[in-house]
Amino acid sequence: MNKTVGIMKNIDNLGRVVIPKEFRDRLGLEKGVEIVLTREGVLIRNSKYELVMKEEVSSVK
């Protein structure tokens, strides 16, 4: 059985939407989230911060 849970929220003057605590708890959302635009809508998931080291390239000619 697919149980859909929904709620209507307003967007504030700064463009923010509050994700209800019940949703955050059920989805295991932490402080940082990633927001991805998909063909079906918007996907919100835990962000995965990864340390990426970049090589410094000095190719001055």
Side-chain angles (χ1 to χ4, degrees):
M1 181 175 151
N2 185 5
K3 184 178 178 186
T4 303
V5 178
I7 189 168
M8 298 294 292
K9 298 299 278 185
N10 290 323
I11 299 173
D12 72 9
N13 292 337
L14 297 175
R16 299 176 297 194
V17 176
V18 174
I19 302 171
K21 183 170 180 358
E22 177 186 350
F23 286 20
R24 295 190 316 264
D25 291 346
R26 288 177 65 178
L27 297 171
L29 296 178
E30 298 169 359
K31 289 188 179 241
V33 296
E34 180 180 11
I35 302 170
V36 180
L37 185 60
T38 69
R39 288 184 181 195
E40 292 79 27
V42 176
L43 170 66
I44 300 174
R45 61 185 174 203
N46 280 325
S47 60
K48 297 177 183 175
Y49 294 104
E50 296 180 16
L51 178 61
V52 177
M53 296 189 67
K54 297 182 180 180
E55 285 188 32
E56 191 173 314
V57 179
S58 57
S59 58
V60 178
K61 292 184 181 182

